[in-house]
Amino acid sequence: MSVYNFFSCGVLLGLLAFLLLPILYSVGLAGVGSFMVVNGAFVFDSLSYYVVLLVVFLGVYSIFCLNRYLSTSTMVFLVMSLLFSCLCFCANHAILFWVYYELSMLPLLYLIFCDSPYSERFIAGWYFAVYLLITSLPLILILLYLSYVNGTFFILSWQNNVCSFYIYVVLSFIFFTKVPLMPFHTWLPIVHAEATSIVSIYLSGYIMKLGLLGVYRCSAFLFNGGFWVYLFFCGVFSVFFIITASTELDGKRWLAFLSLAHILVAFLGFYVCGYDLIPLVFLFCLGHGLSAGLVFGFLWLFYDVSNSRNWLLLKSGVSSNALSFVVVFGLLSLCSFPPTLQFFCEVGLVGQSSFSLMCLLFWCLYLFFGGVVPLILCGHILIRSEGVESGNYDMYNYLFYFFYLTIWCYFGIVLL
């Protein structure tokens, strides 16, 4: 990518943001305040805004900056996944929601089978396919049933007391398989380890958020007083995920386990936030997706440079000041280091947890240990690096991608 393309892309994105922000403020978006624009089968509110913004950022930046490393067919499938995900996040019609929900994941499943260079890609693909296909039929059947008993296909018009409580419980657990929460988490590390880097960016960036939005749209009332036992077990397992991540040498599996641990923050936010502060949860999802995209991106670069995903060997690729800055900003974003979006969201969520001393104590300890693992790894990579700056590798496309994501990850709280 030439310098001209870099600045032209940056000017275009800046101009779009300049033109869109007044429109968004005109419909009521201010800080994390809630707003809603409903047009029949589609709804655009603050939740949709944050997750669609995440999809657009990951899609535009990855395809514009890294297109030279992607084939035309790969970019077509990636664009399909991005488009259907945006439609799913804004869908209010139950059938359309299911169609877009499934179509957003099918292109990535195809890319796992066809684009991955790793030997166990078929095992990883079948893991992902089984979770996708087994839950697909029950999901559409439950959505049709809820539409029938409510007399409408529009999700926002559904009532909570027209059918059995357990129907909503089953529906929630179907969405939990895509987040994924325990005990449905096994597919994520396997798929990340065998998928290409761009597919990993999209899986961790926005596919995990499809499940969260589905749970909130269809069964948010469950989190007013139920599911506390399940939340407790998710919290315990998240600590185990952090411990497991600290023992992983494979960079992509390491980040997959860390994502499994960090996604609990959004799940816990459903319990402690009222209706007006729910956008904090999806603002956290925006920050988490940008951070995951940034770290998966530099793992992609280091794999191309060092031909290894082992952390002990990857540090040999940190051989310049530019890459050192990328490593620091990327890993610190996983620590929710201020002024990242996650930091402000987590502070707000901790403030909302003051009603329970036990919840507040677990919250603080969990966030502390969740940030220690990336911080220790950051120090390990930077200390006593034996790499020398003698290679000749074109990394400007990656640096442009890192620059865009870093700006939004660290200064998004000001820009949004």
Side-chain angles (χ1 to χ4, degrees):
M1 177 180 288
S2 65
V3 175
Y4 171 76
N5 288 335
F6 165 67
F7 282 107
S8 63
C9 181
V11 170
L12 174 63
L13 295 174
L15 182 61
L16 287 175
F18 178 77
L19 293 175
L20 287 175
L21 283 178
I23 299 174
L24 294 172
Y25 274 98
S26 69
V27 296
L29 179 64
V32 296
S34 298
F35 75 99
M36 182 177 295
V37 179
V38 182
N39 182 19
F42 294 93
V43 56
F44 188 77
D45 54 7
S46 53
L47 313 184
S48 302
Y49 169 68
Y50 290 129
V51 286
V52 168
L53 201 63
L54 171 61
V55 173
V56 171
F57 283 166
L58 289 179
V60 170
Y61 295 154
S62 60
I63 292 176
F64 268 84
C65 296
L66 305 174
N67 59 80
R68 61 177 296 185
Y69 308 106
L70 305 171
S71 66
T72 302
S73 61
T74 299
M75 286 192 288
V76 170
F77 282 100
L78 293 177
V79 171
M80 289 173 56
S81 177
L82 293 167
L83 175 62
F84 288 126
S85 296
C86 289
L87 293 173
C88 181
F89 286 131
C90 299
N92 184 36
H93 193 281
I95 305 303
L96 291 178
F97 175 84
W98 177 81
V99 171
Y100 298 144
Y101 185 83
E102 301 297 329
L103 290 179
S104 63
M105 290 177 278
L106 286 176
L108 300 183
L109 176 62
Y110 172 82
L111 292 177
I112 292 173
F113 281 111
C114 296
D115 269 13
S116 176
Y118 305 113
S119 60
E120 297 185 2
R121 63 185 182 277
F122 294 106
I123 296 177
W126 282 115
Y127 260 91
F128 191 26
V130 166
Y131 275 103
L132 181 63
L133 298 177
I134 286 182
T135 59
S136 179
L137 181 59
L139 177 59
I140 184 60
L141 291 178
I142 293 177
L143 291 178
L144 287 173
Y145 174 73
L146 291 175
S147 300
Y148 171 75
V149 297
N150 283 279
T152 177
F153 284 98
F154 296 147
I155 298 174
L156 294 181
S157 301
W158 289 354
Q159 303 295 321
N160 302 332
N161 55 356
V162 296
C163 66
S164 172
F165 169 83
Y166 297 103
I167 296 293
Y168 291 101
V169 172
V170 174
L171 180 62
S172 296
F173 275 94
I174 290 175
F175 287 120
F176 289 160
T177 62
K178 301 299 187 299
V179 175
L181 297 174
M182 58 77 59
F184 315 106
H185 62 277
T186 53
W187 66 267
L188 189 68
I190 297 173
V191 171
H192 274 310
E194 304 302 322
T196 57
S197 295
I198 189 67
V199 172
S200 293
I201 290 173
Y202 286 10
L203 282 174
S204 237
Y206 63 85
I207 291 298
M208 296 175 71
K209 283 67 179 181
L210 283 170
L212 288 173
L213 190 71
V215 168
Y216 181 74
R217 290 277 192 234
C218 300
S219 53
F221 70 96
L222 294 178
F223 304 100
N224 292 332
F227 272 81
W228 281 105
V229 175
Y230 182 66
L231 176 64
F232 170 78
F233 283 107
C234 286
V236 172
F237 271 80
S238 294
V239 175
F240 291 154
F241 293 149
I242 294 174
I243 297 173
T244 303
S246 66
T247 64
E248 278 288 342
L249 292 179
D250 185 298
K252 294 180 72 174
R253 285 180 57 87
W254 172 85
L255 186 52
F257 278 109
L258 209 58
S259 294
L260 288 174
H262 286 166
I263 204 64
L264 178 71
V265 176
F267 186 44
L268 183 58
F270 288 154
Y271 290 85
V272 300
C273 288
Y275 176 79
D276 292 336
L277 290 178
I278 278 294
L280 268 179
V281 174
F282 292 92
L283 183 60
F284 173 84
C285 291
L286 172 60
H288 177 269
L290 293 173
S291 177
L294 179 60
V295 177
F296 271 119
F298 79 65
L299 287 174
W300 186 0
L301 170 60
F302 287 167
Y303 176 72
D304 287 348
V305 173
S306 62
N307 293 316
S308 175
R309 297 191 330 211
N310 190 305
W311 281 117
L312 300 178
L313 301 177
L314 276 178
K315 65 182 300 182
S316 64
V318 186
S319 55
S320 67
N321 290 333
L323 290 181
S324 297
F325 280 115
V326 169
V327 170
V328 170
F329 282 108
L331 293 180
L332 287 184
S333 69
L334 292 178
C335 301
S336 300
F337 194 81
T340 57
L341 290 171
Q342 302 99 297
F343 170 77
F344 292 101
C345 295
E346 289 172 359
V347 169
L349 293 176
V350 169
Q352 294 298 311
S353 305
S354 57
F355 65 89
S356 170
L357 181 61
M358 291 297 296
C359 183
L360 187 62
L361 180 61
F362 172 78
W363 212 187
C364 296
L365 290 176
Y366 168 80
L367 294 177
F368 171 76
F369 288 109
V372 164
V373 174
L375 192 62
I376 293 175
L377 183 60
C378 181
H380 163 73
I381 292 177
L382 297 179
I383 293 175
R384 299 187 66 180
S385 178
E386 298 178 359
V388 293
E389 193 171 0
S390 59
N392 185 17
Y393 186 81
D394 183 9
M395 61 181 183
Y396 291 107
N397 300 74
Y398 288 102
L399 292 180
F400 296 152
Y401 172 74
F402 299 148
F403 172 76
Y404 290 134
L405 288 190
T406 301
I407 289 296
W408 282 103
C409 190
Y410 280 88
F411 301 103
I413 196 68
V414 178
L415 300 174
L416 294 176

